[in-house]
Amino acid sequence: MNNQPLVYLDNAATSQKPETVIRAVEQFYRQQNANVHRGAYQLSEQATRAFETARTTVKDFINADSEQEIIWTRGTTEGINLIAQSYARPRLQPGDEILLTELEHHANIVPWQIVAEQTGAQIRVVPILENGDLNLQRFGELLNDNTRILSLTHISNALGTINPVAGLIRQAKEQGAIVVIDGAQAVSHLEIDVQRLGCDFYLFSGHKLFAPTGIGVLYGRKALLEAMPPWQAGGEMIRKVSFSGTEYNDLPFKFEAGTPNISGALGLAEAIRFLNSLDRKALARHERALMSKAIELCSAIPGFTRIGQPTAGASILSFQLTSHHQQDVGLMLDQQGIAVRTGHHCAMPLMETLGLPGTIRASFAFYNSIEDVERFAAALSVIAQGGSFSAADTVPSQSVFDSSPFGREIKDRDILTQLTPLKNWNDRYRQIMLLGKRLPSFTAAMKADTQRINGCESDAWLVAKGDDNGALWFAADSDARVIRGLIALVLAALNGRQPQQILDFDMDGYFEQLQLSRHLSPSRGNGLKAIIETVRKSASEALRHADQPR
Ligand SMILES: *Cc1c(COP(=O)(O)O)cnc(C)c1O
């Protein structure tokens, strides 16, 4: 990427796929494509056999007792929703408790909040210690006779904490609770034996395990699955339908309504075969070596702060650079061909506990090399030494609204003349950062919550005002410097225009003209998109007001 070999360090979000997995998916479509469990012809029989063999591969991979305990899903998220609605909803009552932890991904929080709302059950949350380990003492105290369900992650996607699940499962089972383990991060790093763990449900996604997206696995103990009603209805999940009543199919098909993701299942089985062909203990050793190297190199970087130092951790490194906003670091690493994740990692409650808006996360897979780690650390070191981008750098201005119309303005024309001659992407990027520096910053008072726009990775604030000619003016700020630069670009184009002109403005075309769309397009899920949407909303509202008869 950016003319450099890609260093992919976002494996906790999704992994890259081995050649054999890609080939397995392709071969299915080229040579085997037919629906499963349906056709009376050979091709469909072959597809069905391959599909069911894939189920056996998964069963063996996690050592389930039977294929009937392996339900295909779209992924971890769907699996947790299935358990919440099919297992928990009919059983929970007011006074019952669902025990979660502060480490959970949103996928293991929100489905439980919904079912708690539906049933009157209560959610209890096990806190973490300062180092990112679960507080086991508090776990013991929170677990009680009313705990019906314990649902927790095996490995934290944000901090890398490996939870001591075997012991926690035993304690919870002694209290009569059922235990759900979110294995989305664990399957790629640890060898999983669901019978030895003794959990009731275990979930994972194919795409974090070197397999395609859109396929995942719900393991459930047979006795529980048998007692659960179907979750979705349609083909495959029934044995007999008549208008006087429907007979459900046996496990696992009862939970697999509709045509399944056949090629995804075959791809997942191939990914498992691929992993099984390797020495998994050696892979784990290699990942530990990558992680140690990363910690060693990064610890020498000024301002590097690791977030979470779990006693047992996977190869997931969460950190901040004190001198920079995390989103700036993410984008600057991207400039150098290094892909990491920044933000809250779908674990906003955890970030709130840590008192952080987010972190930068480098997550390593077995196919990463020590050289990848070295390039990452070297790039980070350059960023850290590139000077501070703190708010103190920016021009303070209480007077965005004081002078008419809004004080210092950056004009559309200025930007085009500054940016377009720069052919080199790095120079353009630097120019955008400089623009961000020139944008007047908001005072603390102006950063009131009402003005806050939550982006995925950074926060932004925006205020709007109309003038006597009906034109709209905006001022905005963000805690990420690159977003400030982009805000300057957007406001230069829109400020002082009529609402209809703002609505008609071709923002994508503008970014195209500035030759920025490849790297920083407004449709990327950054704070800029939220700002543009808010600006457009103001314009629509202004138009509506203008239309109303006085
Ligand atoms: C990725 C992830 C999920 C969600 O997985 P999907 O594949 O998006 O359904 C849930 N929990 C954890 C810990 C994760 O890392």
Side-chain angles (χ1 to χ4, degrees), residues 75-77 105 107 153 155 157 182 184-185 205 207-208:
T76 306
T77 304
H105 187 284
T153 193
I155 295 182
N157 67 309
D182 171 352
Q185 293 296 333
S205 304
H207 70 98
K208 295 181 182 177

Side-chain angles (χ1 to χ4, degrees), residues 89-298:
R89 190 175 181 182
R91 286 172 181 77
L92 292 180
Q93 293 178 359
D96 288 346
E97 293 178 9
I98 303 164
L99 191 55
L100 307 177
T101 85
E102 279 182 346
L103 289 171
E104 301 316 313
H105 187 284
H106 296 165
N108 196 28
I109 299 174
V110 185
W112 300 115
Q113 288 175 326
I114 292 173
V115 80
E117 181 92 352
Q118 288 163 335
T119 61
Q122 287 253 328
I123 290 177
R124 292 286 156 95
V125 184
V126 183
I128 55 169
L129 301 170
E130 214 157 292
N131 70 348
D133 281 357
L134 272 190
N135 184 331
L136 296 180
Q137 191 192 332
R138 291 292 294 135
F139 174 81
E141 291 161 9
L142 284 161
L143 185 69
N144 68 65
D145 283 352
N146 296 324
T147 311
R148 296 283 166 269
I149 296 168
L150 164 66
S151 188
L152 84 161
T153 193
H154 199 159
I155 295 182
S156 158
N157 67 309
L159 303 183
T161 312
I162 302 178
N163 283 322
V165 289
L168 304 180
I169 292 168
R170 205 172 330 109
Q171 287 181 62
K173 306 276 324 176
E174 276 164 19
Q175 290 285 347
I178 68 119
V179 184
V180 180
I181 303 289
D182 171 352
Q185 293 296 333
V187 276
S188 61
H189 299 293
L190 308 174
E191 292 173 70
I192 306 300
D193 180 334
V194 289
Q195 296 191 70
R196 208 173 56 207
L197 286 176
C199 56
D200 297 288
F201 295 101
Y202 198 97
L203 305 136
F204 63 94
S205 304
H207 70 98
K208 295 181 182 177
L209 188 70
F210 319 107
T213 53
I215 187 75
V217 172
L218 181 164
Y219 156 81
R221 272 201 303 119
K222 190 173 163 190
L224 294 178
L225 292 176
E226 270 176 342
M228 286 158 58
W231 184 49
Q232 290 179 339
E236 201 67 68
M237 49 75 68
I238 43 90
R239 179 174 293 136
K240 178 166 162 256
V241 178
S242 76
F243 285 106
S244 60
T246 291
E247 249 178 73
Y248 301 130
N249 206 338
D250 294 329
L251 288 175
F253 311 112
K254 181 169 78 174
F255 292 106
E256 295 178 357
T259 300
N261 181 354
I262 306 165
S263 70
L266 302 190
L268 176 53
E270 191 55 44
I272 290 172
R273 269 193 291 280
F274 174 81
L275 267 183
N276 286 342
S277 76
L278 303 169
D279 175 354
R280 291 204 74 190
K281 301 226 163 21
L283 300 187
R285 267 198 307 278
H286 177 64
E287 287 181 2
R288 276 198 297 276
L290 296 173
M291 187 68 177
S292 308
K293 190 74 183 173
I295 293 170
E296 176 202 322
L297 294 176
C298 290

Side-chain angles (χ1 to χ4, degrees), residues 37 88 112 116 176 186 190 205 209 217 267 277 346 357 411 453 491 504 523:
H37 304 131
W112 300 115
L190 308 174
S205 304
L209 188 70
V217 172
S277 76
C346 297
K411 292 283 179 314
I453 301 166
L491 296 192
D504 291 343
S523 58

Side-chain angles (χ1 to χ4, degrees), residues 143 147 229 284 380 402-403 441:
L143 185 69
T147 311
L380 195 63
D402 288 351
S403 50
S441 31

Side-chain angles (χ1 to χ4, degrees), residues 415-424 428 515:
I415 286 177
L416 286 171
T417 48
Q418 281 169 10
L419 270 183
T420 30
L422 302 175
K423 292 292 165 236
N424 175 310
R428 308 161 73 74
Q515 297 177 45

Side-chain angles (χ1 to χ4, degrees), residues 358-530:
T359 73
I360 306 149
R361 180 187 71 188
S363 50
F364 308 99
F366 69 84
Y367 48 64
N368 287 121
S369 63
I370 290 283
E371 200 191 329
D372 289 347
V373 173
E374 286 168 351
R375 265 190 61 198
F376 156 69
L380 195 63
S381 174
V382 169
I383 293 167
Q385 281 155 32
S388 159
F389 288 156
S390 68
D393 262 8
T394 57
V395 187
S397 160
Q398 292 93 329
S399 61
V400 197
F401 282 106
D402 288 351
S403 50
S404 182
F406 294 113
R408 299 168 329 104
E409 281 293 329
I410 302 168
K411 292 283 179 314
D412 199 351
R413 205 170 358 91
D414 300 346
I415 286 177
L416 286 171
T417 48
Q418 281 169 10
L419 270 183
T420 30
L422 302 175
K423 292 292 165 236
N424 175 310
W425 164 245
N426 279 329
D427 293 343
R428 308 161 73 74
Y429 188 76
R430 201 161 304 124
Q431 193 61 39
I432 292 167
M433 296 300 253
L434 284 174
L435 277 174
K437 210 165 161 177
R438 281 175 52 199
L439 187 77
S441 31
F442 278 24
T443 59
M446 290 168 77
K447 290 185 176 177
D449 263 358
T450 45
Q451 257 89 254
R452 189 190 219 97
I453 301 166
N454 289 316
C456 190
E457 299 181 70
S458 54
D459 282 337
W461 298 267
L462 181 110
V463 271
K465 197 174 158 187
D467 69 13
D468 293 344
N469 304 321
L472 288 178
W473 296 84
F474 302 92
D477 197 357
S478 168
D479 50 2
R481 182 152 167 211
V482 63
I483 297 299
R484 288 174 50 83
L486 295 173
I487 286 173
L489 289 177
V490 169
L491 296 192
L494 298 182
N495 256 346
R497 298 213 189 196
Q498 295 293 321
Q500 189 61 53
Q501 288 178 310
I502 291 173
L503 290 174
D504 291 343
F505 188 81
D506 174 11
M507 192 55 74
D508 287 330
Y510 177 59
F511 271 74
E512 198 72 50
Q513 197 188 351
L514 294 170
Q515 297 177 45
L516 293 176
S517 39
R518 231 184 75 219
H519 299 280
L520 292 170
S521 92
S523 58
R524 263 168 76 155
N526 56 33
L528 185 67
K529 187 176 168 193

